[in-house]
């Protein structure tokens, strides 16, 4: 695309064009499978000058010099840490990749003393100090962090739109739904395709009601919530449904109108609290006049389906979408990614809807296509990998182990390429020979097949190069995620809506931390998000 293509259009379009250009040049790195490091000579695919600069770097140096972002206070000392002069192309790639990607650190976390853990977990690493104990039961710290912050955002969006009905898509065990209903007083419909998860969510709802009854009798006070306001809230209404990304918004509305019947629990809960756990009656259907969609890590095309329903359904007035599993997005090139059901067939193939790209504009931009592997790399926990590099974790050797094993497997049977090897427990603690035996057995080969140990040792000695190559892929990974989210923003712009993408969770705690927010008829959306991402999210509940 020429320079006019970059200068014209929205800011999101201009950024998308720049990212496509970068990926057109270096996308082969994110497209590569690190297990094929030796079989496909991946190291040789890099410029010779890059190989010279990266070949001798230690793991901590890779973290500090290649992946870490920011402006060191002592610039001269930082530059002196480079043991060789890097080629300008490599330096330019690092700066470009980090400047074009969406900011991943929430503003109020930038000055945090603890880079790994949110402030709410300083006193107790397992219990958020800002989330009521009633909502922490059965919930891991990561999820506590997520439901607290997303719950705050959804509540503020509810206030801005004047809509108190929220549909939680992919609600799982209902942790977010309970915070929104009991904690924030919203009318919540929880949509989940797995009946076992709905059964668990319903049980947890009843457990919470039981605890509320006890707290009303006990003369103690709940730390962060008003027990009266919680007790007067309606429990989530559960719907068993598989949201079809190809379905119309009318079909989606019909699915939401079919609740799962729930029991009232033990006899002693036959009170106003327990009775409120029954499903919503038909008289409550007026709530479908408008509602907000939310999804916490809605997988693959599910997050795209939410966007389409927001854009096309007059009943949906707002949306907060935290996506995940980008490799499960359907594309024209890969309409059925591994582990994903094929899209519902359309009578007209030209009307088939895919998860990426979703915008009409991006589909015409050269270099916009993203391979399955590049989308999978975009789901990695980059901050966690940086910590492994800095600590020179033994886990780093697993990349090399698997690449060597791939070479061994293909040496035995050339037809076995990228064959799935189930996770080998504590692989990084095993001698390679033991790792290879277990790996060969898992793919149906004779565990004691003779191996050229001289060749194996030569490959194992190149572990640092394998790690360096994978680090390059992680450097580019945020660009892939940013492009996917830009595509969604541009799609909403094409429909006439304003939207924003902001980092909501601490990335070291929750790697998929970018939330897309949009609302119909709200002209001060930026101001709302500014308020949400200010320090009151950290300490103001």
């Amino acid at each position: 695309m020429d320079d006019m293509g970059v200068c014209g259009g929205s800011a999101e379009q201009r950024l998308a064009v720049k990212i496509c250009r970068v990926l057109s040049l270096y996308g082969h790195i994110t497209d590569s499978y690190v297990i094929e490091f030796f079989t496909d000579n991946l190291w040789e695919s890099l410029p010779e000058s890059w190989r010279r600069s990266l070949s001798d770097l230690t793991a901590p140096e890779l973290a500090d010099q290649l992946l870490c972002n920011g402006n060191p206070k002592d610039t001269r000392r930082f530059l002196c840490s480079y043991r060789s002069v890097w080629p300008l192309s490599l330096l330019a790639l690092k700066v470009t990749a980090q400047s074009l990607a969406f900011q991943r650190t929430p503003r109020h976390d930038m000055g945090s003393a603890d880079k790994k853990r949110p402030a709410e977990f300083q006193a107790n690493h397992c219990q958020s100090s800002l989330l009521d104990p009633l909502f922490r039961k059965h919930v891991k710290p990561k999820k506590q962090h997520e439901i607290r912050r997303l719950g705050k955002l959804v509540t503020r969006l509810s206030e801005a739109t004047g809509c108190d009905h929220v549909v939680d898509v992919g609600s799982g065990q209902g942790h977010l739904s309970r915070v929104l209903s009991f904690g924030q007083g919203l009318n919540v419909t929880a949509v989940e395709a797995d009946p076992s998860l709905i059964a668990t969510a319903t049980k947890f709802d009843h457990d919470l009601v039981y605890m509320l009854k006890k707290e009303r009798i006990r003369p103690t006070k709940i730390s962060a919530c008003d027990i009266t306001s919680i007790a007067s809230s309606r429990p989530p209404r559960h719907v068993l449904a598989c949201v079809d990304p190809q379905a119309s918004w009318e079909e989606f509305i019909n699915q939401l109108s079919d609740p799962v019947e729930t029991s009232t629990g033990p006899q002693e809960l036959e009170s106003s609290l327990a009775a409120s756990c029954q499903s919503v009656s038909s008289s409550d259907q007026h709530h479908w006049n408008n509602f907000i969609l939310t999804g916490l890590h809605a997988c693959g095309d599910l997050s795209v389906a939410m966007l389409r329903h927001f854009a096309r359904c007059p009943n949906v007035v707002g949306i907060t979408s935290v996506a995940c599993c980008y490799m499960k997005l359907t594309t024209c090139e890969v309409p059925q990614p591994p582990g994903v059901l094929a899209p519902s067939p359309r009578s007209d193939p030209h009307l088939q809807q895919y998860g990426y790209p979703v915008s009409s504009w991006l589909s015409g931009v050269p270099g916009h296509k993203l391979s399955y592997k590049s989308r999978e790399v975009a789901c990695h926990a980059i901050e966690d990998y940086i910590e492994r590099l800095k600590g020179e974790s033994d886990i780093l050797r697993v990349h090399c182990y698997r690449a060597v094993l791939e070479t061994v497997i293909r040496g035995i049977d050339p037809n076995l390429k990228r064959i799935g090897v189930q996770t080998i427990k504590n692989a990084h603690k095993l001698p390679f020979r033991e790792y290879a035996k277990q790996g060969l057995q898992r793919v149906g080969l004779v565990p004691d097949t003779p191996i050229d140990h001289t060749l194996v040792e030569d490959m194992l000695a190149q572990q640092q190069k394998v790690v360096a190559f994978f680090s390059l892929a992680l450097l580019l990974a945020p660009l892939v995620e940013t492009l996917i989210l830009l595509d969604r923003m541009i799609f909403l712009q094409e429909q006439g809506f304003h939207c924003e993408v902001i980092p909501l969770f601490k990335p070291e705690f929750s790697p998929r931390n970018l939330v897309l927010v949009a609302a119909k008829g709200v002209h001060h959306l930026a101001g709302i998000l500014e308020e949400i991402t200010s320090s009151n999210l950290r300490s103001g509940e």
Side-chain angles (χ1 to χ4, degrees):
M1 186 170 289
D2 57 26
D3 291 339
M4 290 299 294
V6 178
C7 295
S10 66
E12 290 77 17
Q13 290 176 335
R14 295 194 296 272
L15 180 56
V17 168
K18 292 176 182 178
I19 292 176
C20 287
R21 285 181 170 178
V22 174
L23 294 179
S24 295
L25 292 173
Y26 301 112
H28 66 91
I29 297 174
T30 55
D31 292 341
S32 298
Y33 289 77
V34 73
I35 66 173
E36 297 178 328
F37 184 84
F38 300 108
T39 59
D40 288 17
N41 296 315
L42 296 184
W43 189 246
E44 299 301 317
S45 70
L46 301 178
E48 182 181 356
S49 59
W50 290 25
R51 300 199 302 267
R52 286 198 303 266
S53 298
L54 298 174
S55 60
D56 295 328
L57 291 183
T58 64
E61 288 172 334
L62 279 170
D64 291 333
Q65 299 173 22
L66 184 65
L67 294 182
C68 285
N69 200 352
N71 299 313
K73 294 181 179 179
D74 189 346
T75 305
R76 175 175 294 182
R77 181 179 178 182
F78 176 74
L79 292 176
C80 288
S81 67
Y82 285 75
R83 292 191 278 116
S84 64
V85 178
W86 281 20
L88 289 178
S89 58
L90 181 56
L91 288 171
L93 177 62
K94 173 189 173 178
V95 173
T96 301
Q98 294 177 342
S99 63
L100 295 183
F102 281 147
Q103 170 62 247
R104 290 177 50 78
T105 303
R107 190 184 65 182
H108 54 269
D109 279 343
M110 289 183 177
S112 175
D114 191 334
K115 297 296 183 182
K116 299 180 183 179
R117 190 172 291 106
E120 62 194 290
F121 293 95
Q122 294 301 308
N124 187 325
H125 292 178
C126 296
Q127 304 292 333
S128 168
S129 61
L130 298 178
L131 186 66
D132 192 276
L134 288 173
F135 302 123
R136 299 196 305 235
K137 190 176 182 181
H138 310 295
V139 185
K140 295 180 179 179
K142 173 179 177 291
K143 181 71 74 172
Q144 293 178 35
H145 175 67
E146 293 167 348
I147 62 177
R148 186 186 71 80
R149 290 195 172 180
L150 185 57
K152 181 75 173 179
L153 175 57
V154 173
T155 301
R156 187 63 187 90
L157 193 62
S158 169
E159 295 168 353
T161 58
C163 174
D164 70 347
H165 190 184
V166 178
V167 174
D168 180 7
V169 178
S171 55
Q173 296 181 350
H175 300 311
L176 174 63
S177 295
R178 275 185 293 281
V179 167
L180 293 174
S181 58
F182 288 106
Q184 305 294 344
L186 298 174
N187 178 18
V188 180
T189 298
V191 184
E192 174 54 51
D194 187 338
S196 65
L197 291 179
I198 287 186
T200 301
T202 303
K203 177 184 180 302
F204 289 167
D205 292 347
H206 290 163
D207 290 347
L208 180 55
V209 171
Y210 178 76
M211 292 303 299
L212 286 172
K213 181 178 176 65
K214 290 178 61 177
E215 291 294 341
R216 292 182 72 178
I217 299 172
R218 188 179 304 165
T220 57
K221 185 178 180 181
I222 295 180
S223 60
C225 291
D226 183 338
I227 191 67
T228 303
S229 64
I230 295 179
S232 63
S233 300
R234 174 182 296 167
R237 170 180 174 272
H238 295 283
V239 171
L240 175 63
C242 181
V243 179
D244 183 358
Q246 301 295 323
S248 66
W249 66 264
E250 292 92 346
E251 293 173 279
F252 179 57
I253 291 290
N254 287 336
Q255 286 182 309
L256 298 181
S257 301
D258 186 17
V260 175
E261 293 298 329
T262 60
S263 64
T264 57
Q267 199 78 25
E268 62 269 19
L269 292 184
E270 291 182 358
S271 62
S272 59
L273 285 177
S276 68
C277 276
Q278 295 186 16
S279 299
V280 66
S281 67
S282 58
S283 63
D284 291 316
Q285 293 302 314
H286 68 273
H287 287 296
W288 294 119
N289 288 337
N290 52 68
F291 59 93
I292 294 170
L293 280 176
T294 189
L296 177 54
H297 295 145
C299 182
D301 280 10
L302 185 56
S303 57
V304 177
M306 292 172 56
L307 292 181
R308 290 198 176 105
H309 292 324
F310 167 80
R312 299 169 185 172
C313 178
N315 304 76
V316 185
V317 298
I319 184 172
T320 65
S321 171
V322 184
C324 72
C325 302
Y326 301 125
M327 67 283 194
K328 293 185 179 181
L329 288 170
T330 58
T331 65
C332 182
E333 298 77 27
V334 187
Q336 188 175 1
V340 178
L341 295 176
S344 303
R346 292 294 185 96
S347 56
D348 184 350
H350 296 291
L351 297 178
Q352 191 75 38
Q353 297 178 326
Y354 295 107
Y356 176 85
V358 64
S359 69
S360 300
W361 178 86
L362 188 64
S363 62
V365 177
H368 77 275
K369 294 181 180 180
L370 297 173
S371 68
Y372 173 89
K373 183 58 182 176
S374 68
R375 288 180 278 119
E376 188 272 333
V377 169
C379 292
H380 280 267
I382 301 169
E383 288 78 12
D384 181 63
Y385 196 74
I386 288 175
E387 290 303 312
R388 291 183 182 182
L389 290 172
K390 289 183 175 180
E392 298 185 277
S393 171
D394 290 341
I395 297 177
L396 295 172
R397 68 165 56 104
V398 174
H399 287 307
C400 190
Y401 269 22
R402 182 61 184 88
V404 176
L405 179 61
E406 184 74 8
T407 307
V408 171
I409 291 174
R410 295 192 191 184
I412 299 172
D413 186 347
N415 294 318
L416 296 179
K417 295 184 178 181
R418 300 179 191 167
I419 188 168
V421 177
Q422 295 178 355
T423 302
I424 298 175
K425 186 177 181 180
N426 294 322
H428 60 287
K429 298 180 179 180
L430 300 175
F432 179 78
R433 293 188 183 188
E434 177 59 29
Y435 171 85
K437 284 183 179 181
Q438 293 189 34
L440 292 174
Q441 186 174 24
R442 290 176 185 229
V443 300
L445 297 175
V446 178
D448 294 321
T449 301
I451 296 175
D452 185 340
H453 293 291
T454 301
L455 177 61
V456 166
E457 290 302 322
D458 178 64
M459 289 186 288
L460 291 175
Q462 300 181 59
Q463 174 183 316
Q464 190 280 337
K465 294 179 180 178
V466 178
V467 173
F469 188 91
F470 187 72
S471 297
L472 280 173
L474 286 190
L475 175 66
L476 294 167
L479 290 184
V480 176
E481 180 174 36
T482 298
L483 183 59
I484 292 171
L485 295 178
L486 284 170
D487 172 48
R488 299 175 184 186
M489 297 180 75
I490 294 168
F491 165 76
L492 291 180
Q493 290 174 355
E494 291 174 342
Q495 311 301 312
F497 302 112
H498 175 68
C499 60
E500 298 285 348
V501 168
I502 60 170
L504 188 62
F505 314 135
K506 195 174 183 68
E508 294 83 358
F509 224 58
S510 180
R512 302 280 67 76
N513 71 328
L514 297 171
V515 55
L516 185 150
V517 187
K520 297 174 182 175
V522 176
H523 303 292
H524 55 292
L525 181 60
I528 294 175
L529 298 182
E530 178 74 14
E531 173 190 336
I532 288 296
T533 55
S534 65
S535 60
N536 70 340
L537 189 62
R538 180 178 60 196
S539 59
E541 270 79 357

